[in-house]
């Protein structure tokens, strides 16, 4: 009886110790999450579910920040004038966009979410969306109405070298594989050549080809889990790695991503979690987060207050990645650099070269396809193996019908040979200094005119920062369009320049940007009542009251 009692006590004690250890581990994990909703994806999803749907009427639309009558009237007059211009200048393009929105789901989504939801219904009436273009040359686009724009969309990261360069690469690549054509019976010989070139660029041992950047990331995570035997992945708050479930937790994902930890970027607490947990297979890094650590990628659709981001501190971010790399190696965690966007843009060796990090796996996409859709994974030989030699039924399957499509492979080969040529190498000479100087030039001109705007940049990637609170910053995208600057659907959150931009081209963009800012000022959209701090507080209070009113009536 005494022995049994002692066994029970020992068992209870062991259980208590185990429970205490799990609690400590859980607390450590919670402390490593960023305090924002970006770091707490379940909470973010719950919060999103509580936001009521409501839309402003005519009066509220122009006084959502408590503006007095004279400012509201100025805004109404400015909107009426801009609306008339949109309905006449962009008539044909807008009509096709409206007609297609019922059939093309992407158009319906982007036209609805290009501004904060409260404003969206009336914006659709005032300023019809235009999604279609029919011509591209140099750094300019032309719509169906014959309007020309400077292209700041960068084809979402694809158009690094400029549209003319890719047109040539696609033609050249097509000629290289034309005798084989769109045959998927086997691999074109250029596939092997491309693999060797990519191994040299990445410094890694093996390559797999995919149809998109999202698929390349999926394969990287799958291989990391396969070889480590661990289920969890770590991503950083705000980072984007494609739209599949495990890397896109929270808002936008209909199911919980239970195998994902979303932790704080550039945090010692995160390193502690990585050192102590034994269930983490891999850590994903998107180098774009150096522009806005622990924050979601900026877009005008969520802009209801000022948008502030620190400038990129290359030395600090490099130091962080160095620590992260060391901890991952120590803990047996696979470090994955997601270079789908930054690959070949920041340097010939991408962000890995730019920030001096040596990951275990690297994903590429976008510009690497030479104009075609593509995803590529490069990695260490042991991690890229998809089977266990000791257990023949133990495999890690991955395949896609169009992987290594001959025309993609041909254009990729043309791209890689160009990047590796003397002409391609010259593109990177002074690249960072040149684009930093351009950002500084635009900032100086903006400051001289007193607009509440600053530019942040990572080389050719720009974002607009707003220094004062306003519920109307999103209007700037529409004035930029008026003055011939084409933006992606996220508005002023990201401008992506190609390397084809000359100093003269950029000077024209500067001029048009400043003119759009003057329109914003003259239209009363940046009114604050003279006290910027008080104005920001008032906006937050109004938003809270709106939410409560439309939630509880």
């Amino acid at each position: 009886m005494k022995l049994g009692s002692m066994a029970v006590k020992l068992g209870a004690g062991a259980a208590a110790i185990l429970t205490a250890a799990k609690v400590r581990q859980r607390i450590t994990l919670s402390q490593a999450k960023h305090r924002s909703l970006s770091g707490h994806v379940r909470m973010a999803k719950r919060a999103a579910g509580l936001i009521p749907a409501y839309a402003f009427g005519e009066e509220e639309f122009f006084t959502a920040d408590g503006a007095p009558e004279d400012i509201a009237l100025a805004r109404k007059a400015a909107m009426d004038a801009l609306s008339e211009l949109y309905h006449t200048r962009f008539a044909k393009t807008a009509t096709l966009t409206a007609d297609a929105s019922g059939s093309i789901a992407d158009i319906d989504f982007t036209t609805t979410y290009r501004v904060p939801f409260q404003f969206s219904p009336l914006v659709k009436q005032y300023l019809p969306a235009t999604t279609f273009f029919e011509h591209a040359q140099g750094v300019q686009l032309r719509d169906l109405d014959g309007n020309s724009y400077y292209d700041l969309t960068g084809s979402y990261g694809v158009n690094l070298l400029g549209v003319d360069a890719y047109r040539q690469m696609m033609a050249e690549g097509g000629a290289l594989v034309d005798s084989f054509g769109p045959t998927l019976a086997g691999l074109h010989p250029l596939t092997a050549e491309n693999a060797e070139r990519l191994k040299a660029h990445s410094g890694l041992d093996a390559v797999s080809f995919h149809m998109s950047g999202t698929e390349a990331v999926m394969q990287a995570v799958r291989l990391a889990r396969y070889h480590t035997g661990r289920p969890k992945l770590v991503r950083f708050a705000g980072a984007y790695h494609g739209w599949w479930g495990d890397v896109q937790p929270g808002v936008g994902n209909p199911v919980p991503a239970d195998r994902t930890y979303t932790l704080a970027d550039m945090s010692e607490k995160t390193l502690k979690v990585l050192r102590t947990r034994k269930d983490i297979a891999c850590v994903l890094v998107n180098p774009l987060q150096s522009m806005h650590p622990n924050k979601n990628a900026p877009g005008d659709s969520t802009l209801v207050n000022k948008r502030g981001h620190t400038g990129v501190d290359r030395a600090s971010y490099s130091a962080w990645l160095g620590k992260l790399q060391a901890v991952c190696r120590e803990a047996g965690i696979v470090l994955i650099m997601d270079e789908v966007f930054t690959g070949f843009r920041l340097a010939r060796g991408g962000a890995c070269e730019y920030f001096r990090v040596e990951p275990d796996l690297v994903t590429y996409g976008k510009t690497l396809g030479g104009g075609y859709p593509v995803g590529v994974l490069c990695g260490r030989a042991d991690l890229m193996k998809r089977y266990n030699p000791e257990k023949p039924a133990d495999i890690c399957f991955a395949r896609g019908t169009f992987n290594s499509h001959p025309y993609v492979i041909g254009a990729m080969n043309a791209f890689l040979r160009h990047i590796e040529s003397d002409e391609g190498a010259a593109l990177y000479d002074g690249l960072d200094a040149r684009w930093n100087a351009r950002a500084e030039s635009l900032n100086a001109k903006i400051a001289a005119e007193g607009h509440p705007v600053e530019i942040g940049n990572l080389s050719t990637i720009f974002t607009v920062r707003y220094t004062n609170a306003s519920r109307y910053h999103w209007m700037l995208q529409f004035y930029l369009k008026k003055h011939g600057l084409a933006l992606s659907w996220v508005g002023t959150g990201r401008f992506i320049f190609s390397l084809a931009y000359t100093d003269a081209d950029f000077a024209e963009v500067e001029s048009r940007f400043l003119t759009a800012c003057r329109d914003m000022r003259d239209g009363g959209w940046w009114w604050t009542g003279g006290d910027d701090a008080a104005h920001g507080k008032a906006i937050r209070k109004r938003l809270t009251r709106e939410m409560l009113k439309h939630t509880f009536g």
Side-chain angles (χ1 to χ4, degrees):
M1 184 70 179
K2 291 182 179 180
L3 287 175
S5 177
M6 185 178 298
V8 169
K9 289 181 179 179
L10 288 172
I17 292 171
L18 183 60
T19 299
K22 288 184 176 180
V23 169
R24 284 195 300 272
Q25 191 177 55
R26 182 64 193 176
I27 290 172
T28 300
L29 179 63
S30 296
Q31 290 174 336
K33 296 180 179 180
H34 195 259
R35 293 181 181 180
S36 70
L37 286 177
S38 295
H40 294 79
V41 292
R42 285 182 178 273
M43 192 180 299
K45 195 171 178 66
R46 292 191 192 102
L50 296 175
I51 296 174
Y54 63 96
F56 291 143
E58 283 280 349
E59 183 176 349
E60 292 175 297
F61 189 97
F62 299 104
T63 59
D65 57 354
E69 184 179 2
D70 60 326
I71 297 298
L73 290 173
R75 289 171 176 171
K76 180 64 166 65
M79 180 62 88
D80 286 341
L82 189 60
S83 180
E84 183 179 358
L85 180 146
Y86 265 59
H87 280 90
T88 54
R89 184 183 293 178
F90 311 126
K92 186 176 179 180
T93 313
T95 297
L96 181 58
T97 301
D99 291 345
S101 65
S103 303
I104 303 175
D106 283 351
I107 296 177
D108 179 51
F109 180 84
T110 57
T111 56
T112 299
Y113 283 91
R114 59 185 173 147
V115 302
F117 69 88
Q118 302 96 329
F119 298 92
S120 185
L122 278 178
V123 167
K124 286 184 177 182
Q125 296 178 32
Y126 278 119
L127 306 170
T130 59
T131 301
F132 293 92
F133 297 96
E134 65 178 6
H135 183 77
Q137 187 171 6
V139 295
Q140 295 195 28
L141 299 169
R142 189 176 70 223
D143 67 16
L144 279 61
D145 296 275
N147 300 298
S148 292
Y149 309 80
Y150 280 89
D151 181 10
L152 304 188
T153 73
S155 297
Y156 295 90
V158 173
N159 196 0
L160 172 63
L161 303 177
V163 66
D164 297 332
Y166 291 103
R167 197 175 270 129
Q168 180 178 339
M169 288 171 187
M170 293 169 84
E172 181 182 339
L176 291 172
V177 302
D178 199 48
S179 61
F180 193 47
T183 304
L184 304 177
L187 301 177
H188 190 277
L190 283 180
T191 311
E193 181 182 323
N194 288 352
E196 292 302 315
R197 292 179 184 276
L198 286 165
K199 285 167 58 179
H201 277 285
S202 65
L204 293 164
D205 308 314
V207 179
S208 64
F209 296 96
H210 303 275
M211 291 176 284
S212 70
T214 289
E215 285 193 11
V217 174
M218 290 173 71
Q219 175 65 348
V221 171
R222 173 174 279 202
L223 285 169
R225 285 171 166 161
Y226 176 68
H227 287 289
T228 63
R230 303 173 183 179
K232 304 291 188 178
L233 71 88
V234 166
R235 66 186 282 273
F236 293 112
Y240 182 76
H241 298 283
W243 55 267
W244 64 283
D246 281 5
V247 297
Q248 204 267 311
V251 179
N253 188 346
V255 296
D258 292 326
R259 298 185 298 173
T260 301
Y261 297 140
T262 299
L263 304 184
D265 213 345
M266 304 183 76
S267 167
E268 291 295 328
K269 293 178 180 178
T270 289
L271 297 181
K272 183 177 180 180
V273 168
L274 298 178
R275 287 191 185 99
T276 55
R277 294 194 72 99
K278 304 302 180 184
D279 59 349
I280 298 172
C282 58
V283 173
L284 276 166
V285 176
N286 185 337
L288 278 175
Q289 289 303 113
S290 62
M291 297 183 74
H292 39 81
N294 298 306
K295 294 181 180 179
N296 294 328
D300 288 351
S301 64
T302 56
L303 189 59
V304 294
N305 208 326
K306 68 180 181 179
R307 179 196 291 149
H309 303 297
T310 57
V312 175
D313 186 334
R314 185 174 177 181
S316 294
Y317 198 70
S318 294
W320 156 251
L321 291 179
K323 289 182 182 179
L324 182 64
Q325 176 181 301
V327 170
C328 285
R329 297 273 161 81
E330 171 192 328
I333 296 170
V334 178
L335 179 60
I336 305 169
M337 283 290 281
D338 182 354
E339 291 247 39
V340 170
F341 194 106
T342 55
F344 303 96
R345 181 172 288 273
L346 304 181
R348 191 150 65 173
C352 292
E353 176 185 336
Y354 189 83
F355 291 115
R356 299 180 181 177
V357 61
E358 296 179 357
D360 303 300
L361 298 171
V362 179
T363 60
Y364 298 113
K366 295 187 184 290
T367 195
L368 176 60
Y372 285 114
V374 72
V376 167
L377 172 64
C378 299
R380 288 178 5 212
D382 59 320
L383 293 174
M384 294 294 284
K385 190 175 290 293
R386 299 182 186 178
Y387 60 91
N388 183 346
E390 306 297 325
K391 299 179 180 180
D394 183 6
I395 62 173
C396 182
F397 187 78
R399 190 59 191 148
T401 300
F402 291 100
N403 291 0
S404 305
H405 190 285
Y407 285 97
V408 178
I409 291 296
M412 184 191 302
N413 185 263
F415 173 82
L416 289 170
R417 284 187 289 104
H418 177 75
I419 289 297
E420 294 163 7
S421 69
D422 291 341
E423 181 184 356
L427 292 172
Y428 299 102
D429 290 341
L431 177 65
D432 214 35
R434 180 162 58 256
W435 283 95
N436 287 345
R438 287 174 174 174
E440 290 167 8
S441 170
L442 180 51
N443 275 328
K445 291 179 172 67
I446 292 168
E449 296 192 10
H451 304 300
V453 170
E454 291 178 348
I455 298 297
N457 79 298
L458 175 63
S459 190
T460 56
I461 310 158
F462 283 31
T463 188
V464 176
R465 307 186 302 214
Y466 296 99
T467 58
N468 294 341
S470 170
R471 293 194 75 174
Y472 298 96
H473 287 316
W474 51 267
M475 274 294 296
L476 180 56
Q477 64 177 292
F478 298 102
Y479 285 113
L480 291 171
K481 179 179 175 181
K482 169 189 172 182
H483 294 292
L485 299 180
L487 280 59
S488 65
W489 77 276
V490 300
T492 63
R494 184 164 292 160
F495 301 160
I496 308 167
F497 290 93
S498 76
L499 301 187
Y501 268 86
T502 65
D503 288 341
D505 292 324
F506 189 81
E508 186 62 33
V509 170
E510 276 188 330
S511 175
R512 296 179 184 214
F513 187 93
L514 290 166
T515 303
C517 287
R518 294 179 204 125
D519 283 349
M520 285 286 289
R521 177 197 62 202
D522 296 344
W525 302 109
W526 279 330
W527 170 86
T528 63
D531 188 333
D532 298 337
H535 186 64
K537 290 179 181 178
I539 286 175
R540 289 189 289 273
K541 288 181 180 178
R542 288 181 69 91
L543 275 168
T544 300
R545 287 198 299 269
E546 283 174 18
M547 297 292 178
L548 292 174
K549 173 186 174 182
H550 290 281
T551 300
F552 301 107

